[in-house]
Amino acid sequence: MGGGKPQMPSSSLPKLVPGPVGQQIHSIYKERLGQFTSNGQYSSQNLQAALYEGRASGDEYVKLQVYSPPNLTRPTFDEATSHEFRDTHVGASFGPSWSTHWIRIELKVPRKFQCKERLEFLWDADNEGLIWSEDGEPLQGLTGGGKRRIEWILPDSFRDGKFHRFYIEMACNTIMGNAIGDIIQPPPPNRYFQLKLADIVAVNLEARALYLDFWIIGDAAREFPQDSWEEHQALQICNEIMDTFIAGHGTQDSILWGRQIARKYMSNVDSSKVYESEKEPHVYAIGHCHIDTTWLWPWAETKRKIARSWSNQCDLMDRYPEHRFTCSQAQQYKWLEKLYPTLYDRVKSKVKEGTFQPMGGSWVEHDTNLPGGESLVRQFLYGQRYFESRFGERCKTFWLPDTFGYSSQLPQLCRLAGMGRFFTQKISWNNINTFPHTTFSWVALDGSQVLCHMAPDDTYTAEANFGDVSRSITQHKSMDQDNTGLLVFGYGDGGGGPTSEMLEKLRRCRGLSDKTGRLPRVKMGESVDDYFARLEKKAENGTQFTTWYGELYFELHRGTYTSQANNKWYNRQCEIMLHDIEYLATAATLKDSEYQYPKKGIDDIWEDVLLCQFHDTLPGSSIELVYHDSDKLYAQVFKAGEKLLKDAMSALELNTSKSDESELKAVNTLPWGRVEIAKVPDSEEYALVSGGPGIASVEKLTGNGSSTASIRELENGTFQLSNEQFRITVEKSAIISLVDLSEDRELIPRGQKANQLVIFDDKPLYWQAWDVEVYHLRSRQELLPSKSYILEKGPHIVSLCTETKISEDSWIKTIISLAASVGQRPSYIEMSSEVEWRETMKFLKVEFPVDIRNTEASYETQFGINRRPTHYNTSWDMAKFEVCCHRWADLSEAGYGVSILNDSKYGFATAGNLMRLSLLRSPKAPDAHADMGRHHFRYAILPHAGPLDYRTVRTAREFNHPFKLFHGSPTPNNTFSAMRSIQLTGSPALVLDTIKRGEDDEDISRGELPSRKGRSVILRIYESLGGKARGCICINRNVLAVKKIEKVNLLEDDGEKLVLEDDVYDTRFADQRNCKIELRPFEVATFRLQL
């Protein structure tokens, strides 16, 4: 070592500490953030005070006048503005519920505001409104109250110091209806709304931008993990912004400097260029506006919600180049087209630009549990045809975020309608089990698949918050296959859609991700189809997405299988009526060249029926006003349908007339021959009706035939009904014994009772009309009859009537009937019920314990069968304590089974050997009078030797499609031929479900899409039991000159050409040409016979 002085390292740290420095108390500094933007006690000192540079109101600048249409009417712009207006003012109240008030506004911008960068008109009456220009152009929607858009950017032309006129069409309802407090409670009829705000403001855009910067960085401080540096930095940035604002006394310079501080944490977010970085995104955001076609408001209000919501989106697209907006439901587009043609044109131009994106491919966002198979087909057919005819393209993605469970055949029908993609999220609401997938392949009963994505954020109404972006990855359950998610944002249910605030928040989330990281990177400017195309590309390149087979059962809202029972009955009857109209009208066109197939009339009825299948209408979860409207619409549908039926019957020369020359006739609209005993119209007589399809023979029954039914009273209150197949013992309205005589088998377990009416307490956790919870089963009570008596003594039909008092206000009358056995026709025990129902939160069911054992029961669904557990082994099994079925449910073991048929019921359960049909509910929200009143329905017990087979499928259809008996003149031969010109032979598992004309045949085309030369007949056939099936389409060559047969899709596009043979396939049909077909299990196939 040398002797010099050692060299000490230099330091910028002062040698002496200037004073103590404490560690920040993290929770206090975090809680402090709320002071900067809240509307509370510090609002005059915080950023809120700087958001506006000036405000003007009162008659000097804003003059208000009102016209209030009478009787809750909703006049058009021209009608409303033709009336006298009276003066009104801020503070005035408007009502009652559902009324409309047209406000005429004369507005003058103050001179001192005319040079300001942004001028807005603020309007808030806590309700909804639509701004109209003076010349009748719908400009923008307004929503007051909570989910708000109360601002309208004033046009530059208003800066001239003169008064300018425009109108606001005020709707006296909130965005979520008219309930006060709890939104699902019945809305009061006399709700009033006070006008709170009608101001002109000059907006400080930099202060508004800082507000949003601070919001998102503050969310990072609140939501990032506390042990992350990103969370700590966010908290420091926010506190620095607040300190700078305070030090600068809230001046504009302090606001601008605060924005510069924010740039330490996020990149420049003041334009759409924020999305142009090449860093890989993980979250794809799409704007959406879910508008329930009905729910807590009627159809009439929905039509206005569409205009309010979609005009807003067009405005946002003009201001935010990255904004992409998707919306479904062809019906809503059609309403806009008819009622708001200029706004429709504006939407159409945005569609052409690619910013407004039609989606979904269906007529409405329909329920998928309750509509019949052909209804699901028509949802897609009418939806896709509308989108193609108006916008030149079909939808590729089925969009259904809010329905209460998803039918097992939807993937097949989607593929047949040109859609291989499916988006939803409702299954995330399950209240027992968590659905395990986000992105997966959903497989139908026939093996068809669609690629499904469920929004990881578990909502279709995200508000584009920091947490929504984060959850789009953190809640993703399929990260092994794909690490991206869709974020669907925008106010919804009651409409509204994205707001400028949401779009600004997403820009900041992207800027934060690029600058700081940790938050998943969000991308805007693409479509839902772009997102699915990437997933499909991954599958093409070898990614194997998890599969889910069968129904997507929703573990919630099980009560919707039963609520609003009459509405469900109307739907079933409409489906039957439409089937018959199309079959008879098609036959009429083959017989009579002068008859014009009523394409428009059929289309109009289908569109109305499809509308009523919306997922809050048919399930029974809407307010009372909705069912008043649907009752009226169904009445119109039935009236129009009866006329079409009458016209077709007339063309077939099946005229209804009773005279000395007339004869008793019957029509069988099902595709197979059948036989049954039926009552003669306007008579107490019975007839044996047999034959078909088409014309059936009718033979009046007199006296005792070879087969009879009998009834006798064994002792007081105990009766025995019997025919050649069954002997039934009824005691106190319940069946205590049911013996299959040919099998010598008792079907009712000893000591148990079938056809036992039971009632349950029915108070779900919250959603009254929607839910029934498993605990309701603990409140079971049997209902006992007050009297029973013989109604009909045979010999053709015997019946026993039982009357049961449910309560002081409710009763049920049930007629148990048994017809004489007829040949090989399956015999069943029929129950016909009339109910006066005045209960509160009760659930009426009927039980059938049977001596059958199986761990699975079978339930008819659209074009197929769902098999579900009869045990509670797992929570997934127990969750299915109430399930959906269509015309029948069945419990079978090897060699024997029992089917329960119905004419309008959908709720069912099988627990062990106990089968239970749900009949009526009585929820009090959102409709306080749901199901109150008179009901009629039928159900039946169908025992069968052997396994579940075509006998149940056919008998259930016959139960729902009775013969049409009438008196008329003799039937011409060419009517017989026309009605039987097409028949299906081969496997009885094959069902010819629909016969109709081709959509675009040149003689019936309505011109919406290019017509197809010539005429054609469309057949829809499905395999009903779950096995490969072969058959033959047999065509009467003397009636139909068929040029070719093609297997087509649901949209009737050109398809596979099939072989049409002249060989005799079945000796019964020697005059026919034949086309052999083969269907895989549960396949739905459509064939076009080109004439």
Side-chain angles (χ1 to χ4, degrees):
M1 296 179 64
K5 294 181 180 179
Q7 295 294 316
M8 301 297 294
S10 62
S11 172
S12 60
L13 180 70
K15 180 177 180 181
L16 299 177
V17 66
V21 177
Q23 183 176 5
Q24 287 185 5
I25 308 303
H26 206 74
S27 60
I28 291 176
Y29 280 82
K30 187 181 293 187
E31 190 172 350
R32 179 200 184 201
L33 304 187
Q35 293 184 358
F36 191 51
T37 55
S38 72
N39 281 310
Q41 61 181 331
Y42 301 118
S43 60
S44 64
Q45 300 292 312
N46 66 15
L47 189 58
Q48 288 284 343
L51 292 177
Y52 300 114
E53 298 178 283
R55 184 181 294 264
S57 60
D59 286 348
E60 183 179 358
Y61 301 107
V62 182
K63 299 178 181 179
L64 305 176
Q65 292 184 307
V66 61
Y67 163 64
S68 299
N71 304 319
L72 305 185
T73 55
R74 295 174 171 89
T76 65
F77 175 87
D78 290 338
E79 291 168 346
T81 55
S82 68
H83 286 81
E84 292 293 323
F85 282 67
R86 57 179 173 80
D87 290 342
T88 190
H89 56 87
V90 173
S93 291
F94 299 89
S97 307
W98 311 117
S99 63
T100 296
H101 302 269
W102 282 81
I103 314 296
R104 184 164 63 201
I105 299 170
E106 304 276 350
L107 180 148
K108 182 174 73 173
V109 174
R111 184 181 301 275
K112 61 183 178 180
F113 288 2
Q114 291 174 17
C115 61
K116 298 295 183 180
E117 184 177 4
R118 168 74 66 82
L119 298 179
E120 293 177 351
F121 177 65
L122 304 184
W123 174 273
D124 190 359
D126 281 340
N127 55 21
E128 294 193 273
L130 179 62
I131 298 175
W132 293 79
S133 68
E134 184 175 12
D135 57 359
E137 181 79 16
L139 299 177
Q140 180 199 297
L142 296 166
T143 302
K147 299 179 179 180
R148 307 206 309 169
R149 180 171 180 175
I150 63 170
E151 76 284 356
W152 177 47
I153 299 174
L154 293 178
D156 288 342
S157 60
F158 279 30
R159 296 171 182 260
D160 59 1
K162 299 178 182 178
F163 276 100
H164 294 267
R165 175 179 292 181
F166 59 96
Y167 295 85
I168 293 177
E169 179 188 12
M170 177 194 288
C172 284
N173 52 266
T174 74
I175 196 170
M176 297 301 283
N178 265 318
I180 298 175
D182 182 354
I183 65 166
I184 72 164
Q185 294 307 307
N190 290 304
R191 184 174 182 180
Y192 281 75
F193 296 85
Q194 186 178 52
L195 177 58
K196 299 176 179 178
L197 190 64
D199 292 357
I200 304 169
V201 294
V203 182
N204 185 337
L205 291 178
E206 289 294 340
R208 182 178 284 179
L210 179 60
Y211 178 94
L212 292 160
D213 293 345
F214 191 86
W215 184 345
I216 295 303
I217 300 173
D219 278 350
R222 286 180 286 268
E223 298 192 34
F224 276 156
Q226 191 167 330
D227 61 359
S228 67
W229 69 264
E230 295 94 344
E231 186 266 359
H232 285 268
Q233 185 180 2
L235 185 59
Q236 297 308 308
I237 292 289
C238 286
N239 276 276
E240 185 180 354
I241 290 171
M242 293 180 69
D243 294 341
T244 301
F245 184 84
I246 292 169
H249 306 291
T251 62
Q252 191 70 7
D253 285 344
S254 70
I255 290 169
L256 294 172
W257 186 243
R259 293 215 68 204
Q260 289 302 312
I261 295 169
R263 293 296 163 269
K264 298 178 184 179
Y265 204 77
M266 60 174 62
S267 59
N268 189 321
V269 296
D270 290 340
S271 76
S272 61
K273 292 181 179 180
V274 69
Y275 296 109
E276 294 178 1
S277 73
E278 295 182 359
K279 296 179 180 180
E280 182 182 0
H282 293 93
V283 178
Y284 294 84
I286 188 76
H288 179 52
C289 173
H290 181 68
I291 303 177
D292 283 317
T293 299
T294 60
W295 183 28
L296 305 177
W297 47 87
W299 285 317
E301 200 54 48
T302 303
K303 295 170 185 177
R304 302 201 294 189
K305 284 176 176 287
I306 297 163
R308 293 191 284 259
S309 301
W310 294 4
S311 61
N312 287 358
Q313 300 316 305
C314 291
D315 169 63
L316 289 174
M317 289 167 196
D318 291 337
R319 293 192 281 139
Y320 291 87
E322 72 270 28
H323 184 34
R324 300 294 181 271
F325 175 76
T326 192
C327 218
S328 64
Q329 308 193 74
Q331 173 69 86
Q332 295 189 4
Y333 287 84
K334 185 171 182 178
W335 278 336
L336 189 77
E337 181 182 15
K338 179 180 178 181
L339 300 174
Y340 302 89
T342 58
L343 178 54
Y344 173 79
D345 289 341
R346 191 178 176 195
V347 166
K348 196 168 183 178
S349 70
K350 298 298 183 185
V351 172
K352 189 174 182 179
E353 293 170 8
T355 51
F356 198 115
Q357 298 166 352
M359 182 62 58
S362 58
W363 191 249
V364 295
E365 287 189 12
H366 53 283
D367 180 80
T368 77
N369 289 315
L370 307 171
E374 190 61 25
S375 287
L376 294 185
V377 168
R378 300 308 173 96
Q379 287 285 353
F380 292 137
L381 178 68
Y382 282 89
Q384 289 285 51
R385 287 177 62 82
Y386 182 88
F387 289 124
E388 183 180 9
S389 65
R390 272 38 172 211
F391 307 118
E393 289 187 6
R394 296 171 179 172
C395 300
K396 299 175 183 177
T397 302
F398 183 34
W399 181 274
L400 196 63
D402 191 30
T403 268
F404 313 146
Y406 302 87
S407 164
S408 52
Q409 286 287 51
L410 273 180
Q412 179 180 185
L413 299 181
C414 284
R415 295 306 294 258
L416 291 170
M419 295 179 287
R421 307 155 176 179
F422 177 50
F423 173 82
T424 187
Q425 69 81 44
K426 197 70 171 185
I427 301 297
S428 68
W429 283 36
N430 281 3
N431 71 345
I432 296 180
N433 298 286
T434 299
F435 191 77
H437 311 304
T438 294
T439 305
F440 60 97
S441 178
W442 181 26
V443 186
L445 294 177
D446 78 314
S448 299
Q449 66 173 336
V450 293
L451 192 56
C452 180
H453 181 74
M454 296 188 181
D457 193 31
D458 292 344
T459 183
Y460 51 89
T461 59
E463 296 183 18
N465 289 320
F466 178 100
D468 292 313
V469 175
S470 177
R471 286 187 294 272
S472 294
I473 295 300
T474 61
Q475 294 184 171
H476 200 301
K477 304 183 188 75
S478 302
M479 298 285 280
D480 292 339
Q481 290 79 38
D482 183 72
N483 62 359
T484 66
L486 266 181
L487 172 59
V488 180
F489 70 95
Y491 290 133
D493 294 332
T499 63
S500 59
E501 186 176 82
M502 295 177 190
L503 296 168
E504 294 285 355
K505 285 188 289 184
L506 287 174
R507 285 182 176 181
R508 284 155 176 79
C509 286
R510 176 57 183 261
L512 187 157
S513 300
D514 284 348
K515 182 85 171 184
T516 300
R518 197 170 195 101
L519 182 68
R521 192 169 290 107
V522 65
K523 177 78 163 63
M524 284 201 67
E526 295 192 359
S527 68
V528 173
D529 284 335
D530 291 334
Y531 180 79
F532 274 103
R534 277 189 294 272
L535 295 178
E536 290 176 344
K537 189 67 175 177
K538 292 192 73 169
E540 183 182 332
N541 291 334
T543 298
Q544 293 184 325
F545 289 101
T546 306
T547 53
W548 183 274
Y549 283 76
E551 67 178 328
L552 290 171
Y553 177 82
F554 186 35
E555 296 178 4
L556 203 68
H557 295 3
R558 303 168 185 88
T560 59
Y561 312 147
T562 306
S563 297
Q564 299 287 0
N566 283 333
N567 211 53
K568 292 172 169 60
W569 187 88
Y570 293 146
N571 178 74
R572 179 83 64 90
Q573 295 304 308
C574 284
E575 291 175 334
I576 292 168
M577 179 182 70
L578 280 161
H579 168 277
D580 292 352
I581 290 171
E582 291 183 326
Y583 164 61
L584 294 171
T586 300
T589 63
L590 301 179
K591 172 189 175 293
D592 184 356
S593 60
E594 298 299 318
Y595 173 77
Q596 182 65 34
Y597 188 84
K599 182 72 166 60
K600 182 182 185 303
I602 291 173
D603 287 346
D604 290 346
I605 293 176
W606 264 119
E607 289 180 8
D608 288 342
V609 172
L610 299 177
L611 169 62
C612 291
Q613 291 171 353
F614 180 75
H615 68 253
D616 276 308
T617 312
L618 184 56
S621 50
S622 289
I623 60 171
E624 187 172 7
L625 272 177
V626 169
Y627 297 105
H628 290 168
D629 289 345
S630 67
D631 285 352
K632 293 175 185 175
L633 186 59
Y634 277 127
Q636 295 171 18
V637 162
F638 287 125
K639 182 178 180 180
E642 286 300 322
K643 183 180 185 306
L644 296 185
L645 281 172
K646 183 177 179 181
D647 291 346
M649 295 277 280
S650 179
L652 290 166
E653 299 184 63
L654 298 174
N655 301 305
T656 303
S657 62
K658 193 168 184 179
S659 65
D660 293 339
E661 292 78 26
S662 66
E663 59 184 35
L664 189 59
K665 301 155 63 168
V667 172
N668 174 14
T669 58
L670 292 179
W672 51 75
R674 50 196 278 217
V675 58
E676 65 184 54
I677 296 173
K679 181 166 273 191
V680 176
D682 305 318
S683 169
E684 295 302 313
E685 297 179 291
Y686 286 93
L688 182 66
V689 187
S690 60
I695 305 301
S697 64
V698 181
E699 178 188 350
K700 285 190 178 181
L701 296 173
T702 57
N704 292 328
S706 58
S707 177
T708 61
S710 64
I711 185 171
R712 62 193 179 107
E713 188 168 8
L714 301 178
E715 54 184 311
N716 187 27
T718 302
F719 301 85
Q720 187 178 87
L721 298 76
S722 61
N723 64 11
E724 289 186 352
Q725 293 186 35
F726 301 118
R727 183 176 66 244
I728 304 116
T729 304
V730 179
E731 181 180 277
K732 296 181 179 178
S733 80
I735 298 172
I736 60 172
S737 174
L738 171 52
V739 178
D740 185 326
L741 298 173
S742 61
E743 296 292 315
D744 191 24
R745 177 164 181 158
E746 172 62 68
L747 299 178
I748 309 301
R750 184 182 297 274
Q752 298 189 41
K753 297 174 288 185
N755 194 44
Q756 175 63 59
L757 293 166
V758 288
I759 197 165
F760 300 84
D761 190 68
D762 188 17
K763 298 185 181 72
L765 296 174
Y766 175 66
W767 300 95
Q768 282 196 47
W770 294 259
D771 287 350
V772 57
E773 291 296 350
V774 65
Y775 54 75
H776 85 285
L777 296 170
R778 299 163 66 98
S779 63
R780 175 184 180 274
Q781 291 183 323
E782 293 185 2
L783 296 176
L784 301 178
S786 55
K787 63 178 178 179
S788 299
Y789 52 91
I790 295 173
L791 197 63
E792 290 184 277
K793 296 183 178 181
H796 312 300
I797 289 180
V798 295
S799 58
L800 175 70
C801 183
T802 65
E803 298 179 5
T804 303
K805 188 175 183 180
I806 300 171
S807 68
E808 289 301 316
D809 300 312
S810 303
W811 51 262
I812 180 167
K813 180 189 292 185
T814 301
I815 299 172
I816 305 173
S817 300
L818 182 66
S821 301
V822 180
Q824 298 300 309
R825 176 182 183 268
S827 190
Y828 53 75
I829 304 93
E830 178 179 338
M831 274 63 70
S832 177
S833 298
E834 180 182 9
V835 186
E836 180 67 19
W837 184 245
R838 300 286 176 185
E839 296 303 290
T840 297
M841 301 179 194
K842 299 295 181 183
F843 201 150
L844 180 68
K845 305 187 183 188
V846 60
E847 294 180 342
F848 308 92
V850 293
D851 190 16
I852 304 288
R853 184 168 296 277
N854 199 326
T855 57
E856 284 187 333
S858 299
Y859 303 86
E860 186 188 38
T861 188
Q862 301 97 340
F863 301 127
I865 299 171
N866 286 326
R867 294 184 171 88
R868 302 182 178 110
T870 61
H871 54 76
Y872 296 158
N873 282 2
T874 70
S875 58
W876 293 89
D877 299 326
M878 190 195 72
K880 295 179 180 177
F881 62 85
E882 180 85 1
V883 298
C884 185
C885 74
H886 277 238
R887 287 166 291 224
W888 56 265
D890 182 87
L891 182 62
S892 292
E893 61 188 25
Y896 206 92
V898 174
S899 301
I900 305 298
L901 318 180
N902 75 82
D903 76 339
S904 59
K905 300 301 172 186
Y906 296 89
F908 209 94
T910 307
N913 71 333
L914 179 62
M915 307 175 77
R916 189 185 295 120
L917 177 65
S918 297
L919 301 176
L920 292 170
R921 299 185 68 225
S922 50
K924 299 303 173 188
D927 177 359
H929 304 102
D931 281 314
M932 297 297 97
R934 194 64 55 90
H935 297 267
H936 298 86
F937 47 82
R938 297 161 53 240
Y939 53 92
I941 307 171
L942 174 66
H944 55 86
L948 169 65
D949 61 19
Y950 74 93
R951 293 170 296 171
T952 291
V953 174
R954 290 190 173 187
T955 305
R957 281 188 171 248
E958 292 168 13
F959 189 74
N960 280 268
H961 287 250
F963 278 109
K964 298 179 185 296
L965 270 69
F966 59 95
H967 288 88
S969 55
T971 305
N973 288 333
N974 58 351
T975 294
F976 280 95
S977 300
M979 297 182 75
R980 296 184 187 178
S981 57
I982 302 168
Q983 297 195 56
L984 180 63
T985 64
S987 170
L990 294 176
V991 176
L992 175 51
D993 188 71
T994 299
I995 300 176
K996 61 183 282 290
R997 288 291 307 279
E999 289 295 314
D1000 295 308
D1001 289 355
E1002 62 184 349
D1003 64 322
I1004 65 172
S1005 171
R1006 299 179 65 192
E1008 295 175 333
L1009 291 170
S1011 63
R1012 179 181 295 275
K1013 190 175 181 180
R1015 299 194 304 164
S1016 66
V1017 175
I1018 299 294
L1019 310 180
R1020 193 112 50 228
I1021 299 172
Y1022 74 97
E1023 196 287 317
S1024 62
L1025 295 174
K1028 182 181 290 187
R1030 296 185 177 95
C1032 183
I1033 300 171
C1034 300
I1035 303 159
N1036 187 329
R1037 71 178 76 214
N1038 299 322
V1039 178
L1040 287 183
V1042 176
K1043 295 179 181 179
K1044 63 178 178 178
I1045 297 182
E1046 291 178 277
K1047 188 175 183 181
V1048 299
N1049 61 17
L1050 301 184
L1051 307 181
E1052 303 176 17
D1053 296 328
D1054 290 341
E1056 174 192 1
K1057 187 175 180 180
L1058 304 182
V1059 176
L1060 188 57
E1061 300 176 340
D1062 290 322
D1063 296 337
V1064 176
Y1065 180 70
D1066 189 320
T1067 56
R1068 294 173 298 166
F1069 308 108
D1071 292 331
Q1072 311 222 1
R1073 302 180 74 192
N1074 310 297
C1075 178
K1076 295 177 182 178
I1077 62 172
E1078 179 179 286
L1079 273 62
R1080 62 183 176 271
F1082 296 125
E1083 181 182 358
V1084 181
T1086 304
F1087 301 92
R1088 178 169 59 232
L1089 281 58
Q1090 190 67 46
L1091 308 183

